[in-house]
Amino acid sequence: MNVLITSGGGAKGAFSVGALRQLMTTTGIRNFDLISGTSTGALIAAMVAAGKIPEVTDIYLSNSNADILNKQNAIDNIINNKPYLYDTTPLENQIRQQMTDAAWHTIQQSPALLCLNAVCLQTGRLTVFSSRPLAANPHYDNLVISTTEMLVKALQSSSNQAVFMPPVTINGLQYVDGGNREVIPTRAVVSNLPPQQEHRIYILSNNPDAQQPGTGNYTALLDVLMRAVTIFIQEVRENDLEVLSAYKQSASTPVKVYYISPEAELDPDFPTGLRFDRLLMQSWMKQGQLRAKTILQQSPNGNW
């Protein structure tokens, strides 16, 4: 099986798109059997499943912050019990523009299993929205996508970062970014890979493999917050990769893993990925392309 895992990372998803395009060119793969995504990676995953590679490329090259977020007055939102800093109507409009009835039909008809991660605020558990039922697993809940509207809501849920963006309500429960539990969404993958088959797993991560050291003293409120977010993301990523490592060690058939990530933090000042700068995203997409080309050429049997 060919498996694609796309990580969270906001605007840094441009790196993943560049890596994905190079991956398809180098390997000749056009379709994946299982696609798992979190946050911006969920948006990429859905576009891949719908066969919209040119469109997802254009999205990450052309968008600015205003195309994704409407900044709110934080004090007014606190007073009026609005639990977010940004209104995401522009993002929702873009999701609806791409995830039409026709796109959902393509995903439904595809042999690929699509998995989109979110976290439920009420239960605190990882929830995987999927195009088909998943194998039962104690580590996540599963909701099967049944309509275009549910697909849109699932993508909003997966990509809306808690506090920064509003929770999304589905069936009376509130959902936020899956990166709170899985930045690199591996659990749905290892639980749904059929045994007795060889698997090739392509991981597109928007964050460097190693924790980047901090610089100087942190005295400003936002500086401390952003550094804490960076540390949190690293911890979650390491846990995600440990899940995959345990599966690979126990598998009875070959599992080749191709792990493609930047060599350094793409945007140290905005680890949340909420800076949609067109020139930066163009640069990150090029970095993703070059990094994927190097890894795939130098490690034809996997590098992880």
Side-chain angles (χ1 to χ4, degrees):
M1 288 183 65
N2 290 321
V3 178
L4 179 66
I5 301 177
T6 50
S7 82
K12 295 181 290 185
F15 177 93
S16 289
V17 173
L20 173 66
R21 288 169 60 86
Q22 185 61 49
L23 187 165
M24 289 180 160
T25 298
T26 301
T27 65
I29 295 174
R30 290 294 176 266
N31 299 290
F32 296 90
D33 301 292
L34 198 163
I35 308 172
S36 179
T38 288
S39 195
T40 196
L43 301 174
I44 295 170
M47 295 289 280
V48 172
K52 293 192 169 192
I53 304 302
E55 290 87 344
V56 75
T57 302
D58 181 66
I59 286 170
Y60 280 92
L61 287 179
S62 63
N63 277 319
S64 65
N65 270 61
D67 298 310
I68 304 295
L69 305 167
N70 286 328
K71 190 172 183 179
Q72 305 284 284
N73 184 301
I75 301 301
D76 286 348
N77 279 16
I78 292 172
I79 293 173
N80 292 293
N81 290 323
K82 294 182 179 180
Y84 52 88
L85 299 178
Y86 296 97
D87 170 66
T88 55
T89 299
L91 174 60
E92 178 182 350
N93 290 339
Q94 289 213 42
I95 293 173
R96 291 187 181 280
Q97 181 180 354
Q98 297 297 333
M99 292 297 113
T100 59
D101 289 341
W104 170 231
H105 179 73
T106 298
I107 293 171
Q108 279 185 301
Q109 297 302 311
S110 169
L113 171 61
L114 175 64
C115 300
L116 311 171
N117 276 11
V119 171
C120 177
L121 288 179
Q122 279 70 32
T123 66
R125 285 174 56 81
L126 177 68
T127 298
V128 183
F129 296 89
S130 62
S131 57
R132 296 195 298 273
L134 301 181
N137 188 286
H139 298 289
Y140 60 74
D141 298 322
N142 177 216
L143 290 178
V144 179
I145 301 168
S146 57
T147 64
T148 304
E149 182 63 21
M150 189 172 181
L151 174 62
V152 169
K153 291 291 187 182
L155 288 167
Q156 288 181 272
S157 299
S158 183
S159 58
N160 278 21
Q161 297 181 20
V163 178
F164 293 98
M165 303 157 81
V168 177
T169 300
I170 300 175
N171 297 332
L173 298 177
Q174 294 172 294
Y175 294 90
V176 295
D177 193 331
N180 287 281
R181 294 297 298 262
E182 275 197 325
V183 174
I184 300 175
T186 54
R187 288 198 183 277
V189 170
V190 301
S191 300
N192 290 275
L193 288 176
Q196 310 307 319
Q197 290 188 29
E198 179 177 325
H199 303 301
R200 290 170 297 278
I201 301 175
Y202 299 91
I203 301 174
L204 309 183
S205 172
N206 302 313
N207 298 290
D209 192 40
Q211 177 74 66
Q212 304 294 293
T215 57
N217 292 322
Y218 296 92
T219 56
L221 174 64
L222 288 181
D223 289 343
V224 172
L225 173 62
M226 292 304 167
R227 181 57 180 166
V229 168
T230 299
I231 295 169
F232 168 76
I233 290 172
Q234 179 66 17
E235 175 66 17
V236 176
R237 287 179 60 259
E238 290 177 359
N239 292 338
D240 298 339
L241 292 175
E242 285 177 6
V243 171
L244 183 58
S245 178
Y247 170 80
K248 184 179 178 183
Q249 291 175 15
S250 65
S252 59
T253 53
V255 179
K256 298 177 181 178
V257 179
Y258 303 82
Y259 182 79
I260 302 170
S261 66
E263 296 180 279
E265 175 60 58
L266 294 173
D267 196 353
D269 295 331
F270 288 84
T272 60
L274 295 182
R275 174 159 64 171
F276 293 84
D277 181 284
R278 291 171 183 170
L279 291 179
L280 285 175
M281 290 189 290
Q282 181 178 358
S283 172
W284 297 337
M285 191 174 291
K286 184 64 174 179
Q287 287 185 53
Q289 177 186 348
L290 294 175
R291 187 78 172 129
K293 184 176 182 179
T294 297
I295 290 171
L296 293 170
Q297 288 181 347
Q298 293 181 352
S299 307
N301 293 314
N303 66 328
W304 189 87

